[in-house]
Amino acid sequence: MSTTTLSSTLSSSASLRLNRNTSYHSTRVADSITSVHSFISRWDPQTSVSSGFLRATTHLHSYLLHVARSASRSAHHELIRTNFILQSAMSRLDQELKNHLMSITDAHSTPEAISTVSSIVQTMISTGYGEECLNTYQSIRRSAVTSQLTEFGFDLSTYLSKNLAKLKWDKLEIMIKSWIDAAPVAFHSIFSNERQLSDRIFVSSQESVRDAIFESIVYDTASKLLSFPELVAIRVRPSPEKLFRLLDVYDALSDILPDIKSSFKSFPASEAQQKAISSLKKLSDAVQGTLSDLEKAIQKNRVKPRVAAPGGALLPLTRYMMNYLISLSDYDQSLNALESNMTPDPTKYNSSSFESSDNLQDSPASIRIARLLLVLVQKLESKAESYRDNSLSYLFLTNNVNYMINKVETSRLNNILGEEWVVAHMSKVRRYVEGHLRSGWASVYAALPVKEKEAVDRIQRFETIFQMVLKEREGWVVIDAAMREEIRLLVEAMVVPPYSSWYRAYQGNATVRFSPHDVAKQIAMLYEGLNSGSSSGSGSAKFLRRFGRYLRRKGTDSSVRYQIENVEAQSSKLSLQYQTRYDTGHHGELSFRYQIKRGNSVQYI
């Protein structure tokens, strides 16, 4: 509704209430003119306008209308004189309106100030100066609204540039942060207070008129505020590091949507609501596109060195993705909202690298995050093939997937993905460890003599292979201390007990160079310089906690036996073959047993 239309509506409404003319006595008219002249001649911007002056002005306007209906010559001269006096009065009132409006911050200003402004407004409207009144009111209140937004660093004239795509990200991020600070305050507080203020000042006007006045003040500002998210969604090139800001904007816009619906009730309101909904849709598309691009980037990731990570260490991609997904987990509610109608197909999870799609928590966020983790695991399995040594390939997978599990267990990802995800991937790590043992230490185990007549030759072979394995594994890493301890325990249980049994029987043979203690010490030193074949209590406890749920348990709490028989490392993505360079006639499938006692020693059963 235009200002002219609004003023006409206000004036016609006021005329019905005020212009009920009867007769005009000359004395009353003269008193009104005197009152008006007195106020104009002694006008002081610092003093409040008197109610007597407002009544005199209103009476003068009614007299003007009465005179205008007369056709006499004297009435014409009286009309000109009265109109001039009234215009002078309105000019002063308009200045009074400006002064008082400038002193009002919002609807919580002093009741006296708001009451005075309301009286001036009603007088100007009733005397036919509604348009001038509205122009003054709108100009000052629009400026006040803009000023309040500027306090949050959001400049409407600057931030609506169509060249956002050309801005550097750091500058654009500052703009986004200021919008996120300003928009909720604008719709939650500033606009709400502005509506209350207009309702109190134009209290005598119809509700539809008050709505129109309010919207004429804030709509342009609201429209510009709502245009910014759309510009960000359309013109900013999506990338992983920008995703969180897009989600922040999406969250802020979603939060203020109810205020948009409640603040704007007439026709322009539908435009504001549609603009907000359209911006949400475009932000949702931008987020979806960014996540899809991230998935493709993981799949295409290439490492320039020949091997994925030296010594089977943590791949930078794994560290980056887990930290990224931990940050993304803070937006799980946002992901659920924007992906509720665009949930990825769960059948994508029916892969040998994932236990079952049924293991996922039933939410779009969990499915999306699990999908990214699945793609990451598949990429790791692909990169593991770059190692020439199968044992190192499995160690690389152990390090990286175990790192993923630890990150999930110690963050909000655990609640999002659920315990089933952790269990499934712990089982996967167990298979990687088994693969590492079989392909890396089976040859050492196979070199042990099983017959007395071949003892000398086989023990020499054992010593050679054992030293070769130790040398080959220099520089290999197990990044997690608990996992390092677990693998050491497994290797010791695989090699030391059978070697000890043989050593006790043939230790008098001069060709034996290593005692069981020497073998255990070398294994301990290999796994980060441990100088004892005995495990620590904490290491044993971690071992039981992490692997106890996957292997068959027998005995009591103080004696837990594990038996691994016919172990096979399974992975559809890895073309890894176990080393079988030993006499399969004497050594068939690897089978060993070990027992961890409360005394913290590993003994062969």
Side-chain angles (χ1 to χ4, degrees):
M1 189 180 293
S2 66
T3 302
T4 302
T5 304
L6 268 175
S7 63
S8 299
T9 304
L10 289 168
S11 298
S12 61
S13 168
S15 297
L16 292 174
R17 295 193 303 271
L18 299 176
N19 294 328
R20 297 174 180 176
N21 302 314
T22 53
S23 61
Y24 290 86
H25 301 287
S26 59
T27 302
R28 186 177 178 186
V29 172
D31 290 344
S32 296
I33 293 174
T34 301
S35 177
V36 170
H37 271 300
S38 175
F39 176 81
I40 294 174
S41 61
R42 294 184 291 104
W43 180 68
D44 183 359
Q46 303 301 321
T47 61
S48 297
V49 62
S50 67
S51 58
F53 173 74
L54 296 178
R55 287 195 300 270
T57 304
T58 301
H59 181 71
L60 199 60
H61 175 256
S62 298
Y63 175 68
L64 179 67
L65 296 178
H66 172 72
V67 173
R69 288 194 289 269
S70 174
S72 65
R73 181 179 296 275
S74 60
H76 178 70
H77 290 293
E78 185 68 8
L79 179 65
I80 294 176
R81 184 176 76 95
T82 304
N83 187 56
F84 175 78
I85 296 172
L86 188 61
Q87 285 183 347
S88 298
M90 289 300 106
S91 177
R92 296 306 185 192
L93 274 185
D94 186 59
Q95 188 60 47
E96 283 285 319
L97 180 61
K98 291 177 182 178
N99 292 342
H100 283 82
L101 282 175
M102 293 294 289
S103 67
I104 294 176
T105 54
D106 54 34
H108 303 294
S109 297
T110 61
E112 293 79 9
I114 294 177
S115 178
T116 299
V117 170
S118 180
S119 298
I120 295 174
V121 165
Q122 296 309 317
T123 299
M124 293 185 70
I125 291 173
S126 66
T127 55
Y129 285 80
E131 184 171 353
E132 291 81 355
C133 171
L134 286 175
N135 283 335
T136 298
Y137 184 82
Q138 290 169 339
S139 174
I140 292 177
R141 293 315 305 168
R142 284 171 182 166
S143 177
V145 169
T146 302
S147 177
Q148 291 178 74
L149 286 176
T150 304
E151 293 178 3
F152 293 92
F154 192 82
D155 187 347
L156 293 172
S157 61
T158 302
Y159 283 21
L160 294 180
S161 170
K162 294 185 178 181
N163 296 322
L164 291 180
K166 298 180 180 179
L167 289 177
K168 292 184 178 180
W169 173 242
D170 55 346
K171 293 183 178 179
L172 180 57
E173 190 173 24
I174 293 174
M175 294 171 64
I176 291 174
K177 287 180 179 178
S178 65
W179 183 91
I180 291 172
D181 291 338
V185 175
F187 286 94
H188 287 320
S189 177
I190 296 176
F191 294 165
S192 175
N193 286 331
E194 199 61 37
R195 173 176 283 282
Q196 295 178 42
L197 181 62
S198 62
D199 285 347
R200 293 180 63 181
I201 290 177
F202 295 90
V203 63
S204 300
S205 302
Q206 299 174 0
E207 182 180 4
S208 60
V209 174
R210 296 198 303 269
D211 289 342
I213 293 172
F214 161 72
E215 289 168 7
S216 71
I217 293 170
V218 305
Y219 183 75
D220 286 346
T221 301
S223 180
K224 290 175 181 177
L225 277 172
L226 295 175
S227 295
F228 182 75
E230 185 173 6
L231 287 174
V232 170
I234 294 176
R235 300 186 180 278
V236 174
R237 185 175 180 179
S239 63
E241 66 272 13
K242 299 174 184 177
L243 175 65
F244 301 115
R245 286 304 172 205
L246 290 176
L247 288 169
D248 287 336
V249 175
Y250 183 92
D251 282 347
L253 188 55
S254 298
D255 288 342
I256 64 179
L257 188 58
D259 295 285
I260 296 172
K261 294 179 179 179
S262 62
S263 296
F264 301 96
K265 300 177 181 178
S266 59
F267 173 72
S270 61
E271 296 179 6
Q273 294 173 28
Q274 289 302 317
K275 184 182 289 290
I277 293 172
S278 175
S279 295
L280 285 173
K281 177 63 169 61
K282 289 181 172 61
L283 285 168
S284 177
D285 292 342
V287 170
Q288 294 279 351
T290 302
L291 290 172
S292 296
D293 290 344
L294 177 60
E295 183 177 322
K296 294 176 183 176
I298 297 172
Q299 294 170 334
K300 294 180 180 179
N301 180 265
R302 294 181 175 85
V303 180
K304 292 182 179 179
R306 183 182 61 81
V307 296
L314 187 66
L315 194 69
L317 174 65
T318 306
R319 188 188 304 276
Y320 171 82
M321 279 303 304
M322 293 313 300
N323 290 333
Y324 187 88
L325 292 178
I326 288 173
S327 298
L328 186 61
S329 68
D330 292 333
Y331 296 88
D332 60 322
Q333 296 302 319
S334 304
L335 291 175
N336 287 335
L338 65 86
E339 294 205 42
S340 58
N341 296 321
M342 303 179 65
T343 303
D345 184 358
T347 58
K348 293 181 180 180
Y349 297 91
N350 292 333
S351 165
S352 59
S353 296
F354 204 81
E355 295 297 323
S356 170
S357 61
D358 294 336
N359 288 334
L360 299 177
Q361 298 294 309
D362 187 18
S363 73
S366 65
I367 294 176
R368 170 65 77 174
I369 292 175
R371 172 67 185 172
L372 290 170
L373 289 170
L374 170 60
V375 173
L376 176 59
V377 171
Q378 291 174 335
K379 189 62 181 180
L380 292 173
E381 291 178 338
S382 175
K383 287 185 177 294
E385 296 181 359
S386 65
Y387 295 103
R388 293 180 180 179
D389 192 316
N390 290 346
S391 181
L392 185 56
S393 296
Y394 283 115
L395 188 62
F396 166 77
L397 290 171
T398 299
N399 280 325
N400 283 265
V401 178
N402 189 61
Y403 177 84
M404 293 169 60
I405 294 170
N406 288 337
K407 285 291 187 178
V408 168
E409 287 186 310
T410 57
S411 69
R412 293 188 73 251
L413 289 173
N414 196 31
N415 295 330
I416 295 174
L417 297 170
E419 181 65 16
E420 292 83 356
W421 187 95
V422 175
V423 170
H425 285 75
M426 282 291 290
S427 180
K428 185 184 293 291
V429 169
R430 176 178 62 83
R431 295 197 296 270
Y432 292 150
V433 171
E434 292 169 356
H436 168 70
L437 292 174
R438 283 188 60 94
S439 57
W441 292 96
S443 60
V444 177
Y445 177 84
L448 290 170
V450 294
K451 296 179 181 180
E452 180 179 354
K453 62 180 181 179
E454 61 182 14
V456 175
D457 293 337
R458 295 298 289 268
I459 199 59
Q460 290 177 343
R461 182 182 179 188
F462 168 84
E463 293 170 351
T464 300
I465 293 177
F466 182 65
Q467 289 181 305
M468 179 184 68
V469 167
L470 293 177
K471 184 174 180 60
E472 288 175 349
R473 281 148 181 71
E474 290 179 358
W476 290 18
V477 294
V478 182
I479 60 175
D480 181 74
M483 180 61 68
R484 187 184 311 120
E485 181 77 349
E486 291 159 10
I487 294 177
R488 183 182 67 81
L489 285 171
L490 288 169
V491 172
E492 286 186 10
M494 182 180 183
V495 176
V496 176
Y499 184 80
S500 298
S501 298
W502 181 90
Y503 182 82
R504 285 194 297 270
Y506 300 101
Q507 59 182 333
N509 194 314
T511 61
V512 179
R513 292 192 297 160
F514 299 137
S515 68
H517 176 76
D518 294 331
V519 172
K521 182 179 179 180
Q522 291 296 321
I523 293 174
M525 293 178 63
L526 174 65
Y527 290 97
E528 204 178 56
L530 297 178
N531 56 14
S532 170
S534 300
S535 65
S536 66
S538 61
S540 298
K542 288 179 178 293
F543 180 87
L544 297 179
R545 285 199 301 270
R546 295 176 65 87
F547 282 86
R549 72 179 86 173
Y550 309 113
L551 301 178
R552 291 180 297 175
R553 180 173 299 180
K554 298 180 181 180
T556 64
D557 292 338
S558 62
S559 178
V560 181
R561 298 184 181 186
Y562 298 102
Q563 182 176 7
I564 304 176
E565 298 189 40
N566 301 325
V567 180
E568 294 180 3
Q570 303 168 359
S571 174
S572 62
K573 292 296 180 181
L574 289 174
S575 57
L576 302 177
Q577 301 296 325
Y578 302 123
Q579 298 178 6
T580 56
R581 295 175 297 175
Y582 57 91
D583 187 355
T584 56
H586 295 292
H587 300 274
E589 295 296 331
L590 176 63
S591 177
F592 62 90
R593 301 178 182 181
Y594 59 90
Q595 180 180 37
I596 299 177
K597 289 188 174 181
R598 191 180 294 276
N600 296 331
S601 63
V602 180
Q603 297 182 355
Y604 183 71
I605 302 301

